């Protein structure tokens, strides 16, 4: 459905300020350096500033009045006898008055801080008045009645034939073109600009279908129930407003904070207990903006979380992998569509073994590779779930069949060593095959039937899935270089199982939701989470086409963090990819992984209720800052003579306390930006402390953010 009533021209014409990472371009602008110095240097309340300015203005006026009278008398006595009472006297009087005014402004303006009053109060009032005037001003119209403002289709107008944009302009004027449509069509033009044949097909589709041309393969042109904090022009999602508190640097106080691919590209780790808003105020908005960007053809989104997690409705996604849900229409390829069997086997081995069994990971990888490689050579496809379990347990019939198939294909000699090594390990104490088979048995359950079995042939559901690109997508009205796994438009076959999603399809603008059965099958959910995240990290880091931003959102990352994922996270920065990982507490991770994980991500977010031992790592990562510390010493006032002491005695009786003198000492000291106790006890509900890093290394200091605003 087209988005009705959207003011596309107004959206494009809205003033935006960019250049500072982390700031929402449509929100309040950052403070200027002069405003920062004013706020840092004075600390004077507004009422005191205005009162002081007014008093100095009154005194300056009185001085000018009386001083001017005396000067005018002297001028008349000096000028009139020489030049007479005429123009010379008037000119001299004006000149002397101007000199007096300039001198008084310089003296009393400095004491009254008039320049600061103008910057704090006068300039914002003038700016608001000018903006109000501009909004009320009538924009002149062209001959055809369209306003003379931003042209949303200037890029198409340079290459389109006369009349080729008539339908698109009519839909724009009627409000039937959304921001997603605008960004999608311009993205399509960028992709085909250098290909004359595809450019002609694109222009023909725009001429015939208008804003519906080059639609996403799903047919969706917007997300139902989307929030208002998305700005697709700069690909930003608004998270909240930085509080106007001393903890926040002056440049960021009061501004709106947002995430975009340049910040998500360094990945983000959020830690906080359940109920603090990690999912609703971070994971869901990021998933929403990634899905919108996927509809616009600029991103691919993979969202991993429990089936009941609030990560958006299923209608937001093209592929919903929901093992154990009878309504599920997709399964998950255990090998991720890897082109080489050893790669898929390595990812599967890492997912099957939990972190406490990591010392056996090398033998587990080797055992799986010794099975998957020969099987793929013999049958032309990776083994199915049940076949893999039988081979790992050393089933005689399975091994005999594998040998016969290899001999028939002439590949037995190539894999003779792997087969001999695997057979030699069967029954040994240190054989990981039995453990791997037991772990795979958690997925080989009737409730998961058809969710993980490999298809009979790799041509439909296996490694060739990512090759099903609609090269003629412009003619069909879809995004160039886009695909949805085959089988989306037909019911799954009972004998073939569900169509499997392969993670190596990350070079297409897909929206993928992996719903984990955490409540009914918690250990199976942990395996699937590790498998999906491991496959994503590997596929995103090794893909050749990196024009799309690959975004991963993990609602509960406690099961997916291991030494391999930490290393792979560091590679995402240079691969136009990023991940958002949510944790309830760092205690869910081995201590050896906590510091490397903080070093692997560029964004860190602490939610209220954080444990003090978790806050220690945040405090150490955010470091220290120089601050001005004031020491105030109070002592009873015993100065003065009899009159002053008598007055102090009367005031003591009336006020109920003795008069004191204060001695203030200011010194510059180094303090932590946020201490562990502040993170654990001071953060209010609905807030979080957020620090970010852009892909180019530009940092955003830790800021207290109101996520409810």
């Amino acid at each position: 459905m087209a988005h009705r009533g959207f003011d596309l021209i107004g959206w494009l014409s809205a003033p935006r300020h960019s250049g500072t990472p982390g700031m929402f371009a449509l929100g309040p602008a950052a403070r200027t350096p002069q405003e920062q110095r004013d706020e840092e240097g004075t600390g004077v309340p507004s009422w005191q500033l205005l009162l002081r300015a007014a008093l100095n203005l009154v005194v300056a006026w009185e001085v000018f009045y009386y001083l001017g009278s005396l000067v005018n008398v002297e001028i008349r006595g000096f000028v009139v006898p020489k030049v007479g009472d005429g123009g010379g006297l008037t000119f001299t009087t004006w000149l002397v008055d101007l000199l007096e005014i300039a001198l008084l402004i310089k003296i009393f303006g400095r004491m009254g801080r008039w320049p600061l009053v103008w910057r704090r109060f006068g300039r914002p009032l003038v700016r608001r008045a000018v903006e109000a005037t501009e909004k009320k001003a009538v924009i002149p119209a062209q001959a055809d009645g369209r306003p003379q403002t931003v042209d949303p289709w200037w890029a198409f107008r340079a290459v389109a034939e006369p009349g080729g944009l008539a339908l698109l302009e009519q839909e724009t004027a009627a409000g039937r073109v959304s921001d997603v449509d605008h960004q999608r069509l311009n993205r399509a033009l960028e992709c085909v600009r250098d290909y004359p044949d595809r450019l002609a097909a694109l222009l023909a589709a725009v001429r015939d279908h208008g804003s519906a041309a080059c639609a996403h393969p799903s047919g969706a042109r917007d997300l139902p129930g989307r929030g208002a904090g998305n700005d697709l022009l700069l690909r930003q999602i608004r998270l909240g407003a930085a509080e106007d508190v001393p903890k926040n640097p002056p440049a960021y106080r009061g501004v709106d904070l947002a995430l975009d691919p340049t910040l998500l590209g360094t990945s983000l780790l959020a830690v906080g207990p359940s109920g603090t808003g990690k999912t609703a105020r971070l994971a869901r908005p990021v998933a929403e903006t990634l899905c919108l960007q996927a509809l616009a053809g600029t991103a691919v989104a993979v969202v991993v979380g429990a089936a009941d997690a609030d990560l958006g409705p299923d209608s937001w996604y093209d592929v919903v992998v929901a093992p154990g849900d009878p309504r599920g229409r997709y399964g998950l390829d255990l090998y991720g569509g890897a082109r080489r069997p050893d790669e898929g086997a390595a990812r599967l081995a890492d997912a099957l073994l939990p972190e406490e069994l990591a010392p056996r990971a090398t033998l587990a990888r080797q055992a799986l590779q010794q099975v998957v490689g020969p099987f793929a050579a013999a049958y032309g496809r990776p083994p199915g779930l049940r076949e893999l379990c039988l081979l790992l347990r050393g089933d005689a019939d399975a091994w005999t069949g594998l040998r016969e198939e290899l001999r028939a294909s002439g590949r037995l000699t190539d894999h003779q060593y792997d087969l001999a090594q695997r057979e030699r390990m069967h029954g040994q104490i240190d054989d990981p095959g039995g453990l791997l088979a037991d772990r795979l048995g958690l997925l080989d359950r009737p409730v998961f039937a058809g969710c993980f079995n490999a298809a009979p042939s790799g041509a439909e559901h296996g490694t060739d899935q990512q090759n099903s690109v609609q090269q003629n997508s412009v003619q069909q009205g879809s995004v160039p270089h886009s695909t949805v796994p085959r089988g989306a438009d037909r019911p799954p076959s009972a004998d073939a199982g569900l169509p499997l999603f392969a993670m190596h399809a990350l070079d297409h603008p897909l929206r993928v939701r992996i719903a984990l059965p955490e409540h009914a099958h918690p250990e199976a959910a942990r395996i699937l989470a590790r498998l999906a995240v491991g496959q994503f990290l590997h596929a995103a880091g090794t893909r050749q086409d990196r024009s799309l931003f690959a975004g991963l959102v993990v609602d509960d990352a406690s099961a997916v963090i291991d030494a391999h994922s930490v290393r792979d996270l560091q590679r995402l920065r240079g691969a136009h990819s990023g991940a958002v990982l949510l944790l309830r507490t760092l205690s869910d991770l081995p201590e050896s992984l906590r510091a490397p994980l903080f070093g692997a991500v560029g964004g860190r977010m602490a939610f209220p209720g954080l444990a003090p031992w978790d806050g220690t790592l945040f405090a150490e990562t955010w470091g220290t800052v120089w601050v001005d510390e004031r020491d105030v010493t109070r002592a009873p006032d015993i100065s003065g003579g009899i009159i002053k002491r008598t007055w102090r005695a009367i005031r003591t009786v009336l006020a109920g306390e003795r008069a004191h003198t204060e001695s203030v000492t200011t010194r510059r000291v180094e303090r932590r930006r946020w201490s562990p106790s502040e993170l654990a006890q001071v953060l209010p509900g609905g807030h979080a402390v957020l620090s970010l890093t852009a892909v180019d290394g530009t940092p955003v200091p830790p800021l207290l953010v109101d996520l409810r605003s």
Side-chain angles (χ1 to χ4, degrees):
M1 295 294 295
H3 188 88
R4 298 183 180 275
F6 184 76
D7 184 8
L8 179 63
I9 295 178
W11 173 69
L12 291 173
S13 305
R16 290 174 173 86
H17 56 85
S18 59
T20 304
M23 289 189 182
F24 191 48
L26 289 175
R31 288 177 169 87
T32 64
Q34 181 62 48
E35 291 172 340
Q36 298 176 34
R37 289 192 294 270
D38 293 341
E39 185 169 350
E40 289 179 340
T42 61
V44 180
S46 298
W47 69 271
Q48 292 185 8
L49 187 64
L50 292 174
L51 179 60
R52 184 174 180 176
L55 289 176
N56 278 269
L57 180 61
V58 171
V59 174
W61 172 257
E62 293 296 331
V63 171
F64 173 75
Y65 179 79
Y66 291 107
L67 183 62
S69 300
L70 295 176
V71 172
N72 285 335
V73 172
E74 297 295 332
I75 291 176
R76 287 181 176 275
F78 178 77
V79 176
V80 171
K82 295 184 177 181
V83 299
D85 191 3
L89 177 62
T90 303
F91 175 78
T92 304
T93 303
W94 286 356
L95 180 61
V96 172
D97 288 344
L98 288 177
L99 292 176
E100 292 177 5
I101 292 173
L103 180 62
L104 293 175
I105 289 177
K106 182 176 181 60
I107 296 175
F108 291 96
R110 174 178 294 182
M111 292 190 297
R113 295 182 177 177
W114 294 350
L116 180 56
V117 173
W118 164 253
R119 290 192 295 268
R120 186 179 293 188
F121 302 101
R123 186 182 297 168
L125 289 175
V126 173
R127 186 184 299 119
R128 285 194 291 268
V130 171
E131 292 176 354
T133 304
E134 292 177 351
K135 289 181 180 179
K136 294 180 180 179
V138 179
I139 302 177
Q142 297 178 358
D144 56 359
R146 290 184 293 108
Q148 293 179 350
T149 180
V150 175
D151 182 5
W153 309 114
W154 63 270
F156 278 89
R157 209 174 302 280
V159 294
E161 298 178 355
L165 302 179
L167 178 58
L168 194 59
E169 291 176 343
Q170 292 175 5
E171 291 179 329
T172 301
R176 294 196 299 268
V177 182
S178 69
D179 51 352
V180 178
D181 296 329
H182 179 270
Q183 295 301 102
R184 186 190 69 249
L185 291 175
N186 280 277
R187 165 68 178 173
L189 181 61
E190 292 178 5
C191 293
V192 304
R193 189 183 293 274
D194 298 330
Y195 304 93
D197 295 339
R198 298 176 64 187
L199 177 60
L202 170 63
L203 296 178
V206 171
R207 182 192 62 228
D208 298 336
H209 304 287
S211 60
C214 297
H216 190 268
S218 64
R221 295 168 56 187
D222 209 341
L223 295 182
R226 59 176 284 190
N230 288 282
D231 182 21
L232 285 182
L233 191 63
L234 297 181
R235 303 172 66 182
Q236 289 185 321
I237 176 66
R238 182 184 179 275
L239 291 183
E243 292 282 37
D244 192 356
V245 295
K247 279 284 187 181
N248 289 343
Y252 290 90
R253 295 174 190 171
V255 303
D256 293 339
L257 296 182
L259 295 176
D260 56 52
T262 62
L263 297 171
L264 291 175
T266 60
S267 299
L268 172 63
L269 174 67
V271 184
S274 300
T276 53
K278 300 191 306 299
T279 301
R281 293 173 177 144
L282 176 62
R284 180 184 169 108
V286 173
E288 176 184 320
T289 191
L290 290 175
C291 289
L292 284 172
Q293 292 176 30
L295 292 180
T298 59
V300 53
V302 177
V303 181
V304 181
D308 58 349
D310 183 17
L311 296 171
D314 290 349
S315 57
W316 281 12
Y317 302 95
D318 306 311
V319 177
V320 179
V321 179
D325 189 344
R327 298 171 299 176
R329 297 179 58 86
Y330 288 94
L332 182 65
D333 187 352
L334 295 177
Y335 309 97
R339 297 174 177 85
R340 291 180 294 183
D342 286 352
E343 291 182 359
R347 303 282 82 74
L348 181 57
D350 294 339
L352 290 174
L353 296 186
E355 186 61 29
E356 53 267 22
L357 298 178
R360 305 187 64 180
T362 302
L363 290 177
R365 283 188 172 198
Q366 185 178 5
L368 269 180
Q369 290 170 346
Q370 290 170 349
V371 172
V372 175
F375 191 98
Y379 293 94
R381 61 177 177 87
L385 183 59
R386 180 98 22 113
E387 295 167 324
L388 188 56
C389 290
L390 293 175
L391 290 171
L392 288 172
R393 289 196 174 100
D395 183 80
D397 294 338
W399 277 99
T400 300
L402 178 58
R403 282 185 174 275
E404 292 298 329
E405 197 69 28
L406 280 172
R407 185 176 292 108
S409 62
R411 305 288 301 276
L412 180 60
T413 304
D414 298 338
H415 298 277
Q416 183 67 39
Y417 179 77
D418 284 341
L419 296 178
Q421 287 287 98
R422 183 87 289 277
E423 288 180 326
R424 188 180 302 113
M425 291 293 296
H426 286 160
Q428 299 294 326
I429 297 178
D430 57 345
D431 178 23
L435 176 61
L436 290 173
D438 292 341
R439 302 288 294 174
L440 283 170
L442 296 171
L443 304 180
D444 191 12
R445 303 288 302 280
V447 70
F448 298 142
C451 292
F452 310 110
N453 294 338
S457 116
E460 183 173 357
H461 305 303
T463 59
D464 290 340
Q465 177 192 351
Q466 60 265 30
N467 296 327
S468 62
V469 183
Q470 300 172 357
Q471 296 294 346
N472 59 342
S473 56
V474 173
Q475 295 90 329
Q476 303 298 327
S478 60
V479 178
H481 303 302
S482 61
T483 184
V484 172
R486 296 181 179 180
D489 54 351
R490 56 178 173 80
S493 173
D495 55 347
L498 297 173
L500 303 181
F501 168 71
M503 198 64 72
H504 270 269
L506 292 183
D507 51 352
H508 310 301
L510 289 174
R511 303 168 294 161
V512 182
R513 170 76 161 94
I514 299 179
L516 304 174
E518 284 192 354
H519 299 294
H521 306 276
E523 195 57 33
R526 289 169 62 89
I527 293 175
L528 294 176
R530 286 196 296 270
L531 180 62
V533 172
Q535 290 179 352
F536 175 91
L537 295 177
H538 178 74
T542 58
R543 58 183 178 150
Q544 295 181 351
D545 184 5
R546 298 178 176 178
S547 58
L548 300 179
F549 178 80
L552 171 69
V553 179
V554 185
D555 185 54
D556 183 6
S558 58
V560 306
I561 302 298
D562 55 20
H564 300 291
S565 59
V566 171
R567 285 194 299 268
D568 290 339
L569 275 173
Q570 297 173 341
R571 301 189 182 101
L572 294 183
R573 182 178 301 198
H576 199 208
S577 308
V580 176
L581 308 176
L582 277 61
L583 285 174
R584 294 185 180 92
T585 173
L586 293 174
S587 300
D588 292 339
L589 306 180
E591 189 173 358
S592 59
L593 290 178
R594 298 172 192 174
L597 176 60
F598 266 67
V601 298
R604 304 164 190 93
M605 196 169 185
F607 282 79
L610 199 69
W613 43 89
D614 291 345
T616 300
L617 195 51
F618 278 98
E620 293 176 352
T621 304
W622 287 331
T624 59
V625 63
W626 289 97
V627 297
D628 291 330
E629 187 178 79
R630 299 173 73 249
D631 292 334
V632 180
T633 303
R634 302 186 67 191
D637 188 3
I638 58 175
S639 62
I642 184 64
I643 298 178
K644 188 173 183 181
R645 289 198 298 269
T646 303
W647 167 246
R648 279 202 304 268
I650 297 173
R651 191 176 63 179
T652 300
V653 173
L654 295 176
E657 61 178 2
R658 296 186 60 183
H660 290 77
T661 60
E662 291 186 353
S663 175
V664 181
T665 303
T666 304
R667 57 181 178 178
R668 200 160 183 80
V669 296
E670 196 173 12
R671 291 285 184 264
R672 282 182 168 178
R673 296 179 184 270
W674 286 89
S675 67
S677 60
E678 289 174 330
L679 294 174
Q681 306 295 337
V682 177
L683 291 187
H687 291 66
V689 180
L690 169 67
S691 68
L692 300 167
T693 305
V695 176
D696 61 0
T698 304
V700 177
L703 305 170
L704 178 61
V705 183
D706 185 0
L707 301 176
R708 302 167 303 180
S709 60

